[in-house]
Amino acid sequence: ERMKIAQHMTEMTYKKGDVIIVQGDVGHSFYVLHEGECHVLKNGQHVGNYSADLAKGIAHHFGELALLKDEPRAATIVVVSETAQVL
């Protein structure tokens, strides 16, 4: 099952300062951060971090709530490392 899902995902690279998702937008994608660091912002305020390192087997996912609940994005995700890679 995991391989089937992975085959339908596209790897994307973002640069420092790039916004991956914007709070309030309609969600069309789910993301798996597997390299890099991002800040989580709600109403413009920093409320958390996602940090991932493929070599250490550390990954984070985000964006699923908007898809599962058919609601607008709950937070903004901004890249704070030099680059971030997501599926």
Side-chain angles (χ1 to χ4, degrees), residues 41-87:
L41 307 172
K42 287 192 178 185
N43 301 317
Q45 299 296 312
H46 178 250
V47 296
N49 298 321
Y50 292 133
S51 184
D53 186 333
L54 188 60
K56 294 180 181 178
I58 301 169
H60 290 278
H61 61 84
F62 54 89
E64 75 282 2
L65 292 178
L67 301 177
L68 294 172
K69 296 184 176 187
D70 195 27
E71 295 177 352
R73 297 287 191 192
T76 296
I77 308 295
V78 180
V79 178
V80 294
S81 54
E82 289 303 314
T83 61
Q85 293 181 333
V86 299
L87 293 174

Side-chain angles (χ1 to χ4, degrees), residues 12-43:
M12 297 175 64
T13 300
Y14 292 91
K15 296 177 184 175
K16 187 174 188 172
D18 285 350
V19 176
I20 299 176
I21 62 175
V22 176
Q23 182 178 2
D25 281 0
V26 174
H28 298 289
S29 301
F30 162 76
Y31 299 89
V32 177
L33 175 69
H34 63 88
E35 195 68 48
E37 184 174 359
C38 297
H39 280 178
V40 181
L41 307 172
K42 287 192 178 185
N43 301 317

